[in-house]
């Protein structure tokens, strides 16, 4: 079917083409048969919104009306920000002047757009709400400064990753974007290399707090900065960020933690989410200086692979009474004392994730901290414990004091055995999702106990537990008709024939629920799998184990074919 354009007409102020459509078995069909002509522009724009990027770009080439509707209905635009795009960026943005989310991405090995192109974005996108720059290493502080001078009124979210600007540009943005609520900074190497000279200090508050220290004292003057920041808090609020209302701050793969003291200090009254991941520096000192002793509205804190201990947890406990989510992963020096302080003060805690890890085998979070959380945080709904020796005492406290606990994961511990699994099955009545990972002392009897108990359980995930067998899951199909069992195929023990009913060709990451699949060449195995699927959904998530299983099955099939030949020959 081909298309060609005929005369133009006007509809709703837009000039459109009426196409002449040549059907397969007919001659010419009038353009009035185009059903989209009766649709309002808003409805047609909604249809375009359901299409993929390639199909939508193709639709914009059909006629002038479709091009105009596509331009006015686009909300998000993702562009490859290479240097050759700089001259045509103004005309492109003027076409999509209603876009509110703009993402500019470029490889760090290539030339990106320049400062002039970035500075003109607010002119062509007056409704811009979110800006993301990734790999734009050739945008400097001057470009960000020129961008911020337009004072975009609706800009609420900024995300910068692997870019080439540093402290000066960020200072301009924070000072000239009053509606900014969400700031994400990742891998800003120029910011990491910031010296303590006045021209490159991250914020005016940092300079006022620390004084004019020399470059040699860059890493040794944190004490003066901390003392000065506390003394000059009024100056930071009044001069640097009088109108800053950040609600979310995310810092990843950054260094020089002390540079963020003035920012967190000035935004502590409004910030709700603080995420720090793989960022070096003493974060105990940062938290003590910025939030300790003040009542904040922070409800979510995630600290992943950072230097933080009980001092930081004490600062959190004294300043975050509304804390609902606490994520501690590989925090170097946190112990039961710090977690107990959080439990005593943060009574609204709903989600707790603790990955216990310590340097050189030092003291870390254990069962005592979990026991404190269980006794004090009655609103707990989700609990993830990794590497923590959980005991029956803390499990009993959780079952008694946290009636709304619906999701729990116990990982990387030898203390969880069949007795603990049986206790969970009998006491955790509200539990809906349970994950057991890398617990070598859990055998089939513990999993079967969970299958018999936990009346509200809808999903059971078992990974790297070598005691899991085919017979265990076969029994589950008679016990629970709607239970979804997610099994790591690498931990499943094959039966005597080498075929496991648990193996599935569907990866868990690609498809949430899958049915068990077996060798189609075996009618007996297919029938058994069909009966298993009727009762229990089984998911296997190890591709390597599936490949190993396929090789086992191929070898078995070849062996079965050779046996009749050998029997006949004999």
């Amino acid at each position: 079917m081909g298309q060609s354009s005929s005369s133009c007409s006007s509809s709703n102020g837009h000039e459109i083409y009426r196409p002449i459509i040549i059907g397969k078995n007919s001659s010419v069909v009038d353009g009035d048969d185009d059903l989209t002509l009766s649709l309002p522009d808003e409805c047609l724009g909604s249809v375009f919104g359901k299409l993929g990027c390639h199909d939508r770009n193709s639709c914009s080439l059909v006629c002038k009306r479709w091009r105009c509707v596509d331009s006015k209905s686009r909300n998000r635009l993702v562009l490859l920000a290479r240097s050759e795009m700089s001259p045509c960026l103004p005309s492109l943005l003027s076409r999509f002047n209603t876009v509110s989310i703009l993402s500019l991405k470029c490889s760090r090995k290539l030339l990106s757009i320049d400062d002039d192109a970035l500075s003109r974005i607010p002119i062509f996108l007056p409704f811009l709400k979110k800006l993301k720059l990734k790999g734009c290493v050739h945008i400097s502080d001057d470009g960000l400064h020129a961008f911020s001078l337009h004072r975009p009124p609706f800009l609420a979210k900024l995300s910068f990753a692997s870019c080439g600007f540093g402290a000066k540009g960020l200072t301009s943005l924070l000072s000239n974007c009053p509606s900014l609520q969400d700031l994400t900074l990742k891998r800003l190497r120029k910011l990491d290399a910031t010296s303590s000279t006045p021209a490159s200090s991250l914020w005016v508050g940092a300079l006022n707090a620390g004084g004019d220290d020399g470059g040699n004292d860059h890493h040794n003057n944190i004490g003066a900065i901390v003392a000065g920041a506390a003394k000059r808090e009024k100056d930071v609020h009044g001069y640097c960020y009088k109108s800053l209302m950040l609600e979310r701050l995310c810092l990843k793969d950054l260094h020089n933690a002390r540079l963020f003291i003035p920012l967190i200090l000035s935004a502590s009254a409004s910030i709700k989410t603080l995420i720090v991941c793989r960022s070096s520096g003493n974060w105990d000192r940062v938290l003590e200086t910025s939030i300790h002793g003040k009542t904040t509205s922070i409800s979510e804190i995630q600290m992943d692979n950072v230097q933080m201990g009980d001092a930081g947890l004490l600062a959190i406990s004294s300043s975050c009474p509304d804390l609902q989510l606490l994520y501690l992963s590989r925090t170097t020096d946190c112990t039961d004392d710090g977690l107990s302080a959080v439990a005593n003060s943060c009574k609204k805690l709903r989600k707790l994730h603790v990955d216990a890890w310590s340097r050189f085998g030092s003291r870390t979070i254990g069962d005592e901290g979990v026991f404190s959380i269980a006794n004090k945080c009655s609103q707990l709904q989700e609990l993830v414990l990794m590497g923590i020796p959980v005991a029956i005492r803390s499990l009993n406290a959780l079952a008694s004091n946290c009636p709304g606990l619906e999701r729990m994961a116990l990982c990387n511990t030898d203390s969880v055995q069949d007795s603990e699994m049986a206790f969970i099955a009998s006491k955790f009545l509200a539990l809906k999702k349970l994950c057991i990972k890398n617990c070598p002392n859990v055998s089939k009897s513990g999993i079967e106990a969970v299958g018999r108990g936990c009346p509200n359980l809808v999903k059971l995930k078992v990974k790297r537990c070598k005691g899991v067998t085919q017979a265990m899951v076969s029994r589950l199909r008679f016990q629970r008709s709607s239970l979804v069992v997610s099994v790591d195929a690498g931990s499943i023990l094959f039966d005597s024939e080498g075929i496991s009913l648990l193996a599935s060709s569907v990866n868990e990451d690609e498809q949430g629920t899958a049915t068990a699949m077996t060798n189609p060449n075996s009618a007996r195995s297919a029938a058994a799998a069909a009966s298993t699927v009727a009762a229990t959904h089984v998911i296997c998530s190890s591709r390597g184990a599936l490949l190993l299983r396929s090789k086992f099955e191929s070898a078995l099939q070849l062996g079965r074919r050779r046996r009749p030949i050998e029997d006949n020959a004999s």
Side-chain angles (χ1 to χ4, degrees):
M1 182 176 67
Q3 291 186 1
S4 62
S5 60
S6 62
S7 61
C8 303
S9 62
S10 178
S11 175
N12 297 328
H14 302 301
E15 187 179 14
I16 64 172
Y17 287 110
R18 295 190 181 276
I20 298 177
I21 303 175
I22 303 177
K24 182 178 180 180
N25 297 320
S26 60
S27 56
V28 177
V29 181
D30 191 87
D32 291 333
D33 291 339
D34 183 5
L35 300 180
T36 63
L37 297 177
S38 60
L39 287 178
D41 291 350
E42 294 78 7
C43 295
L44 185 59
S46 299
V47 174
F48 288 162
K50 304 294 184 181
L51 301 177
C53 180
H54 178 74
D55 293 335
R56 183 160 187 167
N57 293 338
S58 300
C59 289
S60 66
L61 303 177
V62 171
C63 62
K64 288 186 176 180
R65 184 198 175 204
W66 283 27
R67 176 185 173 90
C68 182
V69 170
D70 173 61
S71 300
K72 299 300 180 183
S73 62
R74 289 236 187 187
N75 182 52
R76 182 172 180 264
L77 196 62
V78 181
L79 301 175
L80 294 178
R82 297 177 180 174
S83 58
E84 55 266 23
M85 197 190 70
S86 295
C88 59
L89 187 61
S91 60
L92 183 63
L93 296 182
S94 61
R95 172 186 169 188
F96 301 102
N97 57 359
T98 60
V99 165
S100 61
I101 302 175
L102 177 63
S103 180
L104 301 175
K105 301 181 179 181
C106 183
S107 173
R108 289 178 291 177
K109 299 179 181 179
L110 302 175
L111 292 176
S112 64
I113 59 174
D114 54 18
D115 292 340
D116 182 65
L118 179 69
S119 63
R120 301 169 69 181
I121 289 177
I123 301 176
F124 300 103
L125 300 180
F127 304 104
L128 186 64
K129 296 180 180 179
K130 177 182 176 181
L131 175 64
K132 180 178 181 179
L133 300 181
K134 183 178 181 181
C136 299
V137 295
H138 294 87
I139 293 179
S140 66
D141 293 328
D142 296 334
L144 282 188
H145 178 66
F147 176 91
S148 65
L149 291 180
H150 295 284
R151 297 182 65 86
F154 303 105
L155 188 61
K157 187 173 183 178
L158 287 173
S159 177
F160 301 130
S162 303
C163 293
F165 48 81
K168 182 180 177 181
L170 288 176
T171 302
S172 301
L173 282 174
L174 293 170
S175 302
N176 296 319
C177 298
S179 60
L180 185 62
Q181 299 178 358
D182 191 324
L183 178 62
T184 300
L185 306 176
K186 302 179 182 179
R187 299 181 299 277
L188 300 182
R189 298 310 179 204
K190 190 173 181 179
L191 177 62
D192 292 339
T194 297
S195 65
S196 53
T197 58
S200 58
S201 60
L202 183 55
W203 291 287
V204 177
L207 178 61
N208 292 338
D212 188 12
D213 54 332
N216 295 332
D217 297 330
H218 174 55
H219 295 287
N220 299 324
N221 200 34
I222 189 170
I225 289 179
V226 171
K231 181 179 179 181
R232 297 178 178 267
E233 178 181 354
K234 182 178 179 180
D235 294 336
V236 172
H237 281 284
Y239 175 66
C240 191
Y241 303 123
K242 181 172 62 175
S243 58
L244 184 60
M245 296 298 294
L246 269 183
E247 295 184 358
R248 182 180 182 272
L249 178 62
C250 178
L251 309 173
K252 293 187 177 182
D253 299 299
L254 296 174
H255 305 290
N256 297 342
R258 69 179 185 87
L259 296 176
F260 301 98
I261 292 177
L263 176 61
I264 300 176
L265 183 66
S266 58
S268 59
S270 60
I271 194 169
K272 297 180 179 179
T273 301
L274 176 62
I275 301 174
V276 182
C277 180
R278 297 183 300 275
S279 296
S280 63
N282 190 341
W283 284 93
D284 282 336
R285 190 65 60 87
V286 174
L287 294 177
E288 285 179 330
T289 306
S290 56
I291 66 174
H292 184 68
K294 302 190 320 183
T295 301
T296 67
S297 58
I298 297 179
S299 60
E300 178 180 347
I301 293 181
Q302 299 185 33
M303 308 298 289
D304 185 1
N305 202 359
V306 297
Q307 181 185 348
M308 191 187 80
D310 289 344
L313 292 180
L314 288 173
I316 292 173
S317 64
S318 64
S319 307
C320 307
D322 297 328
L323 188 66
Q324 297 185 20
L325 188 151
L326 180 60
Y327 184 103
L328 301 175
S329 178
R330 294 181 177 270
T331 50
T332 55
D333 303 307
C334 293
T335 67
D336 291 332
D337 297 335
L339 193 60
S340 299
V342 172
N344 292 328
S345 302
C346 305
K347 303 297 181 62
K348 298 180 181 180
L349 193 65
R350 295 188 301 109
K351 297 181 180 181
L352 176 64
H353 181 122
V354 179
D355 183 0
W357 178 84
S358 62
R359 295 176 298 177
F360 313 116
S362 60
R363 185 168 165 238
T364 183
I365 296 176
D367 184 69
E368 190 65 32
V370 179
F371 183 74
S372 301
I373 291 289
N375 284 329
K376 302 294 184 178
C377 303
S378 59
Q379 301 182 25
L380 198 65
Q381 297 178 0
E382 180 176 320
L383 180 63
V384 178
L385 303 176
M386 305 180 67
I388 295 180
V390 184
I392 292 290
R393 185 185 68 150
S394 57
L395 291 176
N396 187 29
L398 286 169
S400 303
N401 302 325
C402 305
L405 187 61
E406 297 179 349
R407 298 173 296 276
M408 184 167 64
L410 304 175
C411 311
N412 305 335
T413 178
D414 296 335
S415 64
V416 178
Q417 304 179 12
D418 292 338
S419 57
E420 282 75 14
M421 299 298 294
F423 185 86
I424 292 174
S426 61
K427 298 294 183 179
F428 287 78
L429 303 180
L431 200 62
K432 293 182 179 180
K433 295 183 179 180
L434 176 63
C435 175
I436 305 297
K437 181 179 179 180
N438 196 20
C439 297
N441 295 326
V442 174
S443 66
K444 63 178 183 180
S445 60
I447 301 299
E448 289 174 350
V450 173
R452 292 190 297 268
C454 297
N456 291 315
L457 192 66
V458 296
K459 184 173 183 179
L460 174 62
K461 181 183 292 186
V462 182
K463 288 190 174 183
R464 291 188 235 166
C465 297
K466 296 184 178 181
V468 178
T469 62
Q470 167 191 332
M472 178 273 297
V473 178
S474 299
R475 293 191 186 97
L476 280 181
R477 68 188 177 108
F478 298 107
Q479 299 173 3
R480 306 293 285 269
S481 60
S482 60
L483 181 62
V484 177
V485 183
S486 176
V487 184
D488 182 7
S491 300
I492 298 175
L493 300 179
F494 290 94
D495 57 13
S496 58
E497 295 183 355
I499 302 176
S500 174
L501 295 177
L502 299 181
S504 170
S505 62
V506 182
N507 188 277
E508 181 184 5
D509 296 334
E510 299 175 354
Q511 188 169 349
T513 303
T515 56
M517 297 180 63
T518 53
N519 186 6
N521 296 327
S522 175
R524 179 178 60 82
S525 298
S531 62
T532 302
V533 171
T536 303
H537 296 286
V538 181
I539 305 170
C540 295
S541 58
S542 174
R543 292 184 178 180
L546 295 178
L547 178 62
L548 183 63
R549 167 185 171 272
S550 64
K551 292 183 177 180
F552 271 121
E553 289 185 348
S554 300
L556 288 171
Q557 293 294 336
L558 181 61
R560 290 170 182 169
R561 293 174 183 173
R562 288 180 177 176
R563 286 174 187 172
I565 299 176
E566 294 175 356
D567 294 341
N568 294 333
S570 59

